[in-house]
Amino acid sequence: MVVTAAAPPSALERFSPAARSWFRDSFAAPTAAQELGWDAIAAGEHTLLLAPTGSGKTLAAFLWCLDRLATRPPLPLDAKGRPAKRAGVSVLYVSPLKALSYDVERNLRAPLAGLRIAAARAGLELPNITVATRTGDTPPKEREDIRRNPPDVLITTPESLYLMLTSRSRSVLATVETVIVDEVHTMAGTKRGAHLSLSLERLERVAARPPQRIGLSATQRPLEEVARYLGGDRPVRIADAGATKELDLRVIVPIEDMSRPGESGIVHGATPDGREIEARSSVWPAIYPELLKLVRSHRSTLIFVNNRRLAERLAARINDLAGEELLRAHHGSVAREQRTEIEERLKAGMLPGLVCTSSMELGIDMGAVDLVVQVESPKSVARGLQRVGRAGHQVGAPSIGRIFPKFRGDLLECAVVTERMHKGLIEKTDVPKNPLDVLAQQIVAICAADDITVDELEQLARRSYNFASLSREVLESVLGMLAGQYPSDEFADLRPRLLWDRDTNVLSSRRDARTIAIVNAGTIPDRGLYGVFLGQGGPRVGELDEEMVYESRPGETFLLGATTWR
């Protein structure tokens, strides 16, 4: 008799029959990222999942959560025979971008519908899983609906999570069982990430039991440092499925000599009063036709640039050269409705391409994007891989990227970044330690929600990896400043934000502290943004950064969302 070893069970065997049926109908097999991720997630461990773009890592995190929600006991019926309302949110998804939040909600529709269809085939009760989004774009009425009738899955941003924890809405977060932090590498090395880490500790203080933390990323090194950021003082299992994705990269120099752009070239800029000017000797006249040729030879193209003004100008120039609208500008200043409309047109094949900034470099699923073009060096290997990874955003598909340098020094940087992208030499992530401005902001918000002792506050802060080395002396110095203990009379006009009872060591909020905490959500951005509205009290068009607003004058025209406004 011949005895053979039994094959290891498939990762899908962990799921319910309905989930297995839907997955097998939709995909050939689980990816390496899903196999590794489900092994750790199903065990209830805090998990950091590293995998290339298009490897199904977001589905790896969500499918386990959705299957658990689909197989939970049904809600009891009320006196009128209707299911009772859920007490709160079960799965919290934190996205670094508002646009990514919308895209994740849209992409959850397929597995949710698939689970219902599979359950119906099997004669099982149909799962009723609700999903909602809460970002800065969410209207007040929808925010109130989330508080009164919380969804099972809530998609939000770090700033909106902070606001919920500081308001009455924190009650719906007491039932959170899983927190998914997407694109965790973009947060770990910034003060914004330190702000989020304290919000996660505040969430654990609110939750009935510690939620499982799942971090997702395509580009992060070293993994151990990012895992410490994700888990704080908790152990985190690293699921490394980061096999190098196949890249087809080329640096394209549209002229023969970058040191002599050409006597007839034209460069576009702006005078101090904001009027556009044209100057000689530029590479741009050679770049525009090359970009147009690439757009027309591909079904769907993303052109990345490094600032919003260039995105608007480049889209307008290429459209003028083509004599038709081939491209639209996509960036964080475009209003939510316009961004959504632009994304849907690209996904439906009605728009050949977009000129975009970092608003499109993270995990947004744009479907069958054939080509990514980067104008000017992406400035980092991680950013370059994220952007080029938008092309071929499917399992096993190569990513095609073309990089256009703007000047001779930029050409050298593009060559170095491209070589390191091929080798996967991603920059090291340095997690900021003890940013006291972030700590002070979060302390005011914590006290606005509940009284807390100094010992409890110290324990909460030091569970975060960003503040693990925070000393009691430094903490008390921050508390003294917030309680009005200023070093001189020059600060006498500053109003204290906290009350510190030295006898009991209890911290409590002053009357206006909650308003201060809510109005000042998030960390200080690199530059300010100004809302753009159509007429007095009219609808919101989008946003402009402070530099462009400062340079503008009444009567001028400017581009926003590929539309000219005055």
Side-chain angles (χ1 to χ4, degrees), residues 49 98 200 233 258 283 356 372 380 417 455 512 528 559:
L49 176 55
K98 292 184 289 187
L200 293 178
D233 65 352
M258 290 293 286
V283 74
C356 44
V372 166
S380 78
V417 170
D455 291 340
D512 61 344
L559 288 169

Side-chain angles (χ1 to χ4, degrees), residues 58 93-96 100 104 180-184 186-187 216-217:
T58 304
Y93 171 92
V94 182
S95 158
L100 183 54
V104 168
I180 301 171
V181 182
D182 205 355
E183 306 295 354
V184 67
T186 67
M187 306 294 297
L216 307 176
S217 180

